Amino acid sequence: MSELFPFSKEHEMLRSAARDFAQNEIAPIAAEFDESGEFPYKTIKKMGEMGLMGIEIPEEYGGAGMDTLSYVLALEEICKVDAAHGVIMSVNNSLYCFGINKFGTDAQKEKFLRPVASGSSIGAYSLTEPMSGSDAGTMRSRAVLDGDAYVLNGRKSWVTSGPVADFMVVFMMTDPDKKQKGITAFLVDAKKPGFIRGKKEPKLGIRASATSEIVFEDYHCPVEDRLGQEGEGFKIAMAVLDAGRIGIATQALGISEAAYDAAANYANEREAFGQKIGEFQGISFKIADMKTRIEASRLLIYQAALAKENSKITGQRYSLEASMAKLFASETAMFVSHAAVQIHGGMGYSKELPVERYFRDAKITEIYEGTSEIQRLVIARIELNQR
Ligand SMILES: Cc1cc2nc3c(=O)[nH]c(=O)nc-3n(C[C@H](O)[C@H](O)[C@H](O)COP(=O)(O)OP(=O)(O)OC[C@H]3O[C@@H](n4cnc5c(N)ncnc54)[C@H](O)[C@@H]3O)c2cc1C
């Protein structure tokens, strides 16, 4: 299907490099790292050397200087093989690099963007807290200006790459009375005092991606490391999530494709009652629905990628396209991976095949970077306000 799209030679080259790397270097270790929950330093470092950790960032700041479609095509190949490598890549590219490139000063780009976009350091994004997820306006962490630095205190939770990140963009309250409008974004360095890595989260899926709490205890953040103005944090967090949601939609697409390939091959091989199971309508209709939803996800993702690319010229938001792509692709990943386990029967439940991993990995795509309920809120609000 995707052959119908007029991709450039550069798109095809990047996609094929990402595919070769994923098949040759990630596929052989994916199950082992899923089992151990270890962070895959070596392969992530190589992805950085290949330019995959800052695809859309200009070359002058250490990135590959390519477009959103390039990002999506490369990420899809990584996620087809391992969704854990995929989320590390997605967070680094969209939740960390994208925001600094869009809202940062030249000095901030030099200090915080270059090392992460070039792949020599790892970036993270921290909005969520134990008592505040979908409703960011209720966050309890505080940043108080004291002379020429803010003093940051609080407990942030569920930070992807938290246990390994070198730098992080963190959102804290500077004016609690203003709720969402009182949130400010800060760029922080994990080596500085007051940045404490907390409890590592044991997880159902994407187990090789490290997730943890981060505790701030009197962390001093110089005023020049504040991202944007005081009170602009929520706006920045949401703009960055638009970009992030295209990445998570792509992660979901990769998981769906892997689960679908496994299921379609199995349906053509496995026999029961004297025929291939794919010849039973109960199975073949599942295959038809899986394939159709996957291709619909792909179209929504490519549309969102083009809308994001367009926004670089027009400045227009692409929240609608990003939320629709994330909502549909993540629910498709759950549908497809569930059906793939069922088509495999008992073997779908076995750790000897990767299908059970696809099923476990798919679930997170409906939760992080805005749950499916939140995507529906975003889509409905935009649609109803336009009338
Ligand atoms: C593995 C993992 C990695 C993560 N990585 C990061 C990260 O790197 N950085 C970061 O900042 N966060 C991260 N998160 C946090 C994630 O984004 C939140 O878990 C998510 O936004 C939901 O917030 P919550 O868990 O507090 O759920 P809640 O907001 O408490 O929601 C609970 C339930 O209520 C529903 N709900 C809430 N509000 C509404 C509403 N208005 N209408 C209808 N239903 C509603 C939700 O959809 C959900 O079903 C990660 C989470 C996980 C599990």
Side-chain angles (χ1 to χ4, degrees), residues 145-168:
L145 187 58
D146 179 14
D148 55 3
Y150 288 85
V151 183
L152 274 49
N153 278 291
R155 181 177 293 270
K156 307 299 282 187
S157 60
W158 291 110
V159 184
T160 296
S161 297
V164 297
D166 302 287
F167 301 104
M168 192 166 104

Side-chain angles (χ1 to χ4, degrees), residues 132-150:
S132 143
S134 306
D135 185 7
T138 58
M139 70 170 57
R140 294 178 178 183
S141 55
R142 298 281 182 268
V144 177
L145 187 58
D146 179 14
D148 55 3
Y150 288 85

Side-chain angles (χ1 to χ4, degrees), residues 125 127-128 133-134 158 160 203 364 367-369 371 373 377:
Y125 167 102
L127 180 66
T128 307
S134 306
W158 291 110
T160 296
K203 304 194 296 292
I364 190 57
I367 296 174
Y368 55 18
E369 303 201 21
T371 61
E373 289 79 10
L377 275 182

Side-chain angles (χ1 to χ4, degrees), residues 136-200:
T138 58
M139 70 170 57
R140 294 178 178 183
S141 55
R142 298 281 182 268
V144 177
L145 187 58
D146 179 14
D148 55 3
Y150 288 85
V151 183
L152 274 49
N153 278 291
R155 181 177 293 270
K156 307 299 282 187
S157 60
W158 291 110
V159 184
T160 296
S161 297
V164 297
D166 302 287
F167 301 104
M168 192 166 104
V169 52
V170 64
F171 299 87
M172 291 207 174
M173 271 297 174
T174 41
D175 190 346
D177 292 342
K178 291 190 181 157
K179 299 206 167 158
Q180 288 174 355
K181 290 193 175 145
I183 298 174
T184 303
F186 301 94
L187 296 169
V188 298
D189 181 339
K191 288 188 296 301
K192 284 180 55 171
F195 181 104
I196 301 156
R197 298 183 209 271
K199 175 173 74 93
K200 201 176 158 204

Side-chain angles (χ1 to χ4, degrees), residues 200-212:
K200 201 176 158 204
E201 302 293 348
K203 304 194 296 292
L204 171 72
I206 52 162
R207 288 175 36 77
S209 75
T211 320
S212 74

Side-chain angles (χ1 to χ4, degrees), residues 134-371:
S134 306
D135 185 7
T138 58
M139 70 170 57
R140 294 178 178 183
S141 55
R142 298 281 182 268
V144 177
L145 187 58
D146 179 14
D148 55 3
Y150 288 85
V151 183
L152 274 49
N153 278 291
R155 181 177 293 270
K156 307 299 282 187
S157 60
W158 291 110
V159 184
T160 296
S161 297
V164 297
D166 302 287
F167 301 104
M168 192 166 104
V169 52
V170 64
F171 299 87
M172 291 207 174
M173 271 297 174
T174 41
D175 190 346
D177 292 342
K178 291 190 181 157
K179 299 206 167 158
Q180 288 174 355
K181 290 193 175 145
I183 298 174
T184 303
F186 301 94
L187 296 169
V188 298
D189 181 339
K191 288 188 296 301
K192 284 180 55 171
F195 181 104
I196 301 156
R197 298 183 209 271
K199 175 173 74 93
K200 201 176 158 204
E201 302 293 348
K203 304 194 296 292
L204 171 72
I206 52 162
R207 288 175 36 77
S209 75
T211 320
S212 74
E213 290 192 335
I214 299 290
V215 180
F216 287 87
E217 275 180 18
D218 291 335
Y219 177 100
H220 280 68
C221 179
V223 172
E224 64 265 25
D225 292 350
R226 184 190 66 214
L227 185 64
Q229 298 303 311
E230 254 192 42
E232 277 187 353
F234 187 73
K235 190 187 85 182
I236 293 174
M238 294 303 119
V240 168
L241 279 176
D242 284 346
R245 286 168 183 166
I246 299 177
I248 301 309
T250 307
Q251 182 190 33
L253 175 64
I255 298 168
S256 296
E257 288 182 290
Y260 172 76
D261 276 351
N265 288 337
Y266 199 74
N268 269 342
E269 285 161 14
R270 177 74 174 175
E271 293 191 0
F273 299 95
Q275 65 183 61
K276 305 259 191 278
I277 60 166
E279 288 165 12
F280 294 113
Q281 199 179 67
I283 300 288
S284 67
F285 277 20
K286 275 195 174 65
I287 295 287
D289 288 344
M290 291 156 88
K291 179 67 179 166
T292 306
R293 292 192 198 189
I294 288 171
E295 295 309 330
S297 302
R298 188 195 308 286
L299 292 175
L300 284 169
I301 291 168
Y302 290 173
Q303 169 176 272
L306 293 177
K308 181 178 172 209
E309 202 51 41
N310 204 34
S311 95
K312 290 176 189 166
I313 303 158
T314 63
Q316 269 189 325
R317 291 285 294 267
Y318 48 92
S319 313
L320 177 67
E321 290 85 352
S323 282
M324 290 194 303
K326 199 228 175 218
L327 173 64
F328 193 82
S330 60
E331 295 193 349
T332 294
M334 272 314 281
F335 172 81
V336 170
S337 60
H338 180 265
V341 170
Q342 192 66 16
I343 289 170
H344 279 79
M347 285 312 292
Y349 207 69
S350 167
K351 289 247 176 211
E352 284 177 19
L353 294 184
V355 192
E356 61 84 32
R357 171 161 59 89
Y358 305 146
F359 181 55
R360 286 185 289 109
D361 287 350
K363 183 60 205 169
I364 190 57
T365 65
E366 292 184 318
I367 296 174
Y368 55 18
E369 303 201 21
T371 61

